[in-house]
Amino acid sequence: MKNIEIVRIFREISYLIQIAENDPNTIFKVRAYEKAADVIENLSMDLEEIYLENGIAGLRKIPSVGSAISLKIEEFIKLHKIAYHEELKKKIPIKISEFSNMRGIGPKTIKTLYEKLKITTVSELEKAALEGRIAKLKGFSKMKESNILKTIQLSKKNKSRHLLGDIYPLIKKIESRLTEEESVINCATVGSFRRMKETIGDIDILVSTEEPEKVVNFFVNMPEVEEIRGRGRTKAFVELRNGIGVDLLVVPEESFGSASQYFTGNKDHNISLRNLAISKGFHLNEWGLFTKKKKKVAGINEKEIYELLDLQYIPPELREDCGEIEFFSKKKKGNLALVEYGDLKGDLHTHSDSTDGTMSIKDMALQARKKFGLDYIAITDHTRSLRLANGLNENQLLAQINKIQELNDAFKEYSTDTRFRILSSAEVNILRDGTLDIPNNILDKLDIVGAAIHSNFSLSKDIQTERLVKAAKNPSVDLLCHPTGRIINKREGYSVDIEKIIDIAHETRTVLEINSNYHRLDLKDEHIRLAVQNGTKLAINSDAHHPVHFAYLLFGIGQARRGWAKKTDVINTLEVDSLLKELK
Ligand SMILES: [Zn+2]
Ligand SMILES: [Zn+2]
């Protein structure tokens, strides 16, 4: 499993190049490494396997992997290191891994701080900031210094937690490898991972078997394991190479259900459920559900436990003690048709290479159809005031509408699969005063209009809220994208009265997005629940900048379920014609 290590090294290289090299052309090199890292991160296949089967040619077929990058991958597979990376590290003794996930402290800042103050670690940076030495540097200020301190605090707070999307593919791979192992009867990853929480501490994997020692042995010898932290006859605790801790718990098959029940819910959920069991004359623990006379009455699966406790099955994402035990009691007959993982028909937020995406509209469409089975996607490229992303102006946007029309016609003409449709759209920039950077008469020619904030994050709560309210009230705006602007572990969202936004969205029939990019997951689960209670419509979108990002939709659905969103709350579960009718 070299993918994760290669991703880490490529990101470090791109970072180090920006510090080490002064040539303005390095930006292309930097982007090449970043793009390759993005793609490899989401690759479902193992690079080493691809290489062993098809060599360099196989690697080059991966999008964004050119000849230089493929040689670096080969070098790593053969030598377990990349000479260019080692050279850069020698030249720049900065601890990049400490800085790389700190938003607002980019390579340029690091470079200056290294040259002027010889800072190479985060603790040296913190010390310099606390001593007020940073504010005195040219190009810095008191404000910048205090922002640096805030960022350090935030990253300290979140250090031990991993983003769900960062570890998801690897954990699923380990899970399926264990499942395929002969001596394993059942295997499931439980805990917050199963609840699809946006960040995860440690991973708990549960296995049932009649040969515990064999399974434990197989587990601790997996190639991803960096260090065995502990092992017993029926359990083991290891640290993986990416720094995450994984617990393996081995139980007999007859207790697999009770153990997965026990290890999935959060603490409060488990306490409530155990109390419910007691109130019904039972005793519940990880080994099973028992009567007062210690007779075991359930345990092999979760369903039979819930059944005996007069509950309907509670979906794992809801096991957080947020009213679910009461809601799912059979007496109450609560019926919740949660949005399911296969329910999405389309994606209403995707980018093409017309702006900052990396693939043509056609390729985005073909992959969305072929690999992800979607019936429609909206191409929501950025608009003109977002210069960093080469935003489209009015004429370019009109030209894009024609291009999309032609592509749709061509699909119809050349394909037996006439179902697929590209929707013309845009992720229109909301300006400081809440107006948009494209006039309504142009926007009205689009199938659907998304709007988003990409600047002026530090406005006061009132002004920021008003800004979004004005955008929602704009009759052309159908969708508010990533409504709070947060980046998990890196940037708090802008200050906004979310309840007011949810209300106004409902009133104006504006849809709120659940952005599935696992760095964003914006709206949060608690906001989704508020929106659902309020009857405000939602859309679960990928914000894909490359077709591999369609895989993120899974995280958006998980988040929606955590917010108790039903299929009917999510407009892109609709067929395209009904969807277009539903928009304001
Ligand atoms: Zn955006
Ligand atoms: Zn976007």
Side-chain angles (χ1 to χ4, degrees), residues 12-191:
E12 264 194 46
I13 290 178
S14 87
Y15 209 96
L16 285 164
I17 297 173
Q18 295 175 71
I19 297 175
E21 296 179 14
N22 281 320
D23 181 354
N25 285 325
T26 52
I27 190 67
F28 297 106
K29 226 156 106 188
V30 169
R31 287 229 178 104
Y33 279 101
E34 278 172 1
K35 272 188 195 167
D38 280 347
V39 170
I40 294 166
E41 191 166 38
N42 294 289
L43 213 58
S44 51
M45 280 149 74
D46 200 64
L47 285 176
E48 193 168 13
E49 275 167 33
I50 296 175
Y51 177 71
L52 290 177
E53 260 170 48
N54 297 310
I56 287 275
L59 295 175
R60 291 204 51 182
K61 284 202 183 117
I62 303 168
S64 297
V65 172
S67 58
I69 299 272
S70 59
L71 286 170
K72 296 278 185 291
I73 298 174
E74 178 183 48
E75 189 182 345
F76 185 81
I77 290 171
K78 285 187 171 162
L79 305 171
H80 223 82
K81 59 182 178 187
I82 296 173
Y84 180 48
H85 178 228
E86 301 298 322
E87 241 167 68
L88 284 167
K89 278 202 295 190
K90 231 181 246 163
K91 227 190 232 166
I92 310 283
I94 299 173
K95 285 254 187 300
I96 300 304
S97 55
E98 293 189 9
F99 292 103
S100 55
N101 60 0
M102 291 203 181
R103 193 154 273 253
I105 311 179
K108 262 199 195 134
T109 308
I110 301 293
K111 184 183 170 133
T112 314
L113 294 170
Y114 170 64
E115 284 168 358
K116 297 271 161 64
L117 301 173
K118 290 274 158 274
I119 286 170
T120 59
T121 65
V122 169
S123 66
E124 285 169 6
L125 176 65
E126 187 175 21
K127 188 159 174 271
L130 288 169
E131 291 169 0
R133 282 186 283 143
I134 290 171
K136 287 186 197 137
L137 294 176
K138 200 178 156 214
F140 287 79
S141 61
K142 271 270 155 225
M143 166 102 145
K144 201 155 183 197
E145 188 174 72
S146 86
N147 282 340
I148 287 177
L149 279 173
K150 265 189 222 154
T151 306
I152 293 174
Q153 290 315 326
L154 191 67
S155 84
K156 270 189 186 168
K157 205 174 86 190
N158 298 314
K159 209 172 175 190
S160 56
R161 298 198 67 84
H162 300 256
L163 297 189
L164 176 65
D166 274 339
I167 56 169
Y168 194 90
L170 176 66
I171 299 302
K172 279 290 165 193
K173 185 164 184 177
I174 291 177
E175 195 185 86
S176 73
R177 194 190 298 134
L178 278 165
T179 306
E180 281 162 23
E181 168 62 14
E182 226 181 310
S183 46
V184 170
I185 305 169
N186 254 313
C187 172
T189 308
V190 287

Side-chain angles (χ1 to χ4, degrees), residues 72 129 186 188 194 235 238 240 323 332 364 405 489 515 577:
K72 296 278 185 291
N186 254 313
R194 188 165 173 226
K235 58 183 169 191
V238 299
L240 301 185
K332 290 253 164 96
M364 289 296 283
Q405 185 61 50
N489 287 0
N515 191 295
D577 293 328

Side-chain angles (χ1 to χ4, degrees), residues 398-559:
L398 290 173
Q400 182 135 307
I401 296 175
N402 288 332
K403 191 169 158 190
I404 287 174
Q405 185 61 50
E406 281 166 23
L407 281 168
N408 279 331
D409 291 344
F411 280 140
K412 272 201 194 118
E413 202 169 325
Y414 297 113
S415 161
T416 47
D417 175 16
T418 51
R419 224 180 144 82
F420 190 80
R421 178 152 168 206
I422 308 168
L423 299 175
S424 60
S425 184
E427 183 179 1
V428 188
N429 222 8
I430 302 175
L431 301 173
R432 194 182 188 285
D433 64 357
T435 58
L436 306 178
D437 67 346
I438 300 284
N440 283 33
N441 64 338
I442 305 283
L443 294 181
D444 289 341
K445 297 186 194 303
L446 296 169
D447 291 316
I448 170 169
V449 175
I453 285 179
H454 293 107
S455 59
N456 295 102
F457 293 125
S458 53
L459 297 175
S460 74
K461 189 170 180 177
D462 286 351
I463 297 178
Q464 202 67 275
T465 305
E466 218 23 66
R467 197 178 172 196
L468 279 170
V469 166
K470 195 160 172 185
K473 284 186 173 165
N474 186 317
S476 299
V477 172
D478 300 296
L479 171 76
L480 288 182
C481 302
H482 44 75
T484 76
R486 72 148 175 181
I487 309 284
I488 301 173
N489 287 0
K490 293 187 188 170
R491 182 175 78 200
E492 308 270 4
Y494 29 79
S495 177
V496 63
D497 181 346
I498 193 71
E499 286 171 38
K500 183 158 182 193
I501 301 301
I502 288 170
D503 272 346
I504 298 286
H506 182 240
E507 209 173 276
T508 57
R509 298 182 54 231
T510 309
V511 178
L512 296 183
E513 176 176 83
I514 300 170
N515 191 295
S516 305
N517 181 318
Y518 65 87
H519 296 277
R520 291 186 182 271
L521 292 175
D522 178 8
L523 298 173
K524 281 185 196 177
D525 46 12
E526 57 197 284
H527 297 158
I528 295 168
R529 191 136 186 226
L530 283 176
V532 167
Q533 282 162 351
N534 202 55
T536 307
K537 291 286 181 216
L538 301 163
I540 301 172
N541 301 325
S542 68
D543 202 352
H545 286 66
H546 185 284
V548 294
H549 298 151
F550 289 123
Y552 291 168
L553 288 169
L554 172 91
F555 305 120
I557 300 171
Q559 183 87 343

Side-chain angles (χ1 to χ4, degrees), residues 188-191 194-195 206 251 255-267 269-274 277 284-289 299-306 309 311-316 318-320 324-325:
T189 308
V190 287
R194 188 165 173 226
R195 301 201 309 275
L206 192 69
V251 296
S255 295
F256 188 77
S258 45
S260 54
Q261 202 321 288
Y262 186 88
F263 291 108
T264 296
N266 75 356
K267 200 172 140 215
H269 171 90
N270 285 347
I271 293 172
S272 299
L273 203 69
R274 284 204 295 275
L284 177 66
N285 62 25
E286 63 265 53
W287 304 108
L289 185 68
I300 194 162
N301 61 49
E302 291 182 332
K303 250 195 166 136
E304 61 176 23
I305 299 170
Y306 286 123
L309 296 176
L311 292 170
Q312 305 176 65
Y313 179 78
I314 305 178
L318 271 46
R319 300 184 197 169
E320 302 259 352
E324 70 278 9
I325 292 178

Side-chain angles (χ1 to χ4, degrees), residues 231-404:
R231 86 185 268 188
R233 207 180 76 83
T234 58
K235 58 183 169 191
F237 180 44
V238 299
E239 189 176 312
L240 301 185
R241 289 201 195 147
N242 61 358
I244 194 160
V246 183
D247 266 305
L248 177 78
L249 304 144
V250 181
V251 296
E253 173 67 0
E254 56 171 42
S255 295
F256 188 77
S258 45
S260 54
Q261 202 321 288
Y262 186 88
F263 291 108
T264 296
N266 75 356
K267 200 172 140 215
D268 292 337
H269 171 90
N270 285 347
I271 293 172
S272 299
L273 203 69
R274 284 204 295 275
N275 286 338
L276 178 73
I278 291 167
S279 76
K280 292 186 184 292
F282 293 111
H283 178 70
L284 177 66
N285 62 25
E286 63 265 53
W287 304 108
L289 185 68
F290 299 88
T291 62
K292 273 190 185 145
K293 290 185 178 156
K294 302 213 167 123
K295 184 175 176 261
K296 185 165 168 178
V297 285
I300 194 162
N301 61 49
E302 291 182 332
K303 250 195 166 136
E304 61 176 23
I305 299 170
Y306 286 123
E307 192 75 26
L308 285 170
L309 296 176
D310 293 323
L311 292 170
Q312 305 176 65
Y313 179 78
I314 305 178
E317 297 90 338
L318 271 46
R319 300 184 197 169
E320 302 259 352
D321 201 31
C322 291
E324 70 278 9
I325 292 178
E326 199 179 29
F327 185 90
F328 285 96
S329 104
K330 281 197 180 150
K331 260 189 236 137
K332 290 253 164 96
K333 292 201 180 110
N335 190 2
L336 190 65
L338 276 191
V339 57
E340 295 290 339
Y341 287 96
D343 275 348
L344 295 186
K345 294 250 168 24
D347 186 341
L348 301 176
H349 186 169
T350 73
H351 295 271
S352 78
D353 60 3
S354 304
T355 61
D356 64 344
T358 48
M359 283 282 218
S360 67
I361 297 174
K362 185 176 169 190
D363 286 336
M364 289 296 283
L366 287 173
Q367 302 267 351
R369 182 66 180 150
K370 261 205 323 230
K371 293 229 174 93
F372 296 89
L374 296 175
D375 290 347
Y376 54 90
I377 59 170
I379 299 289
T380 49
D381 277 317
H382 292 289
T383 49
R384 58 176 202 176
S385 61
L386 203 63
R387 293 214 179 82
L388 264 178
N390 292 319
L392 304 178
N393 63 27
E394 287 86 343
N395 288 332
Q396 289 166 320
L397 203 53
L398 290 173
Q400 182 135 307
I401 296 175
N402 288 332
K403 191 169 158 190
I404 287 174

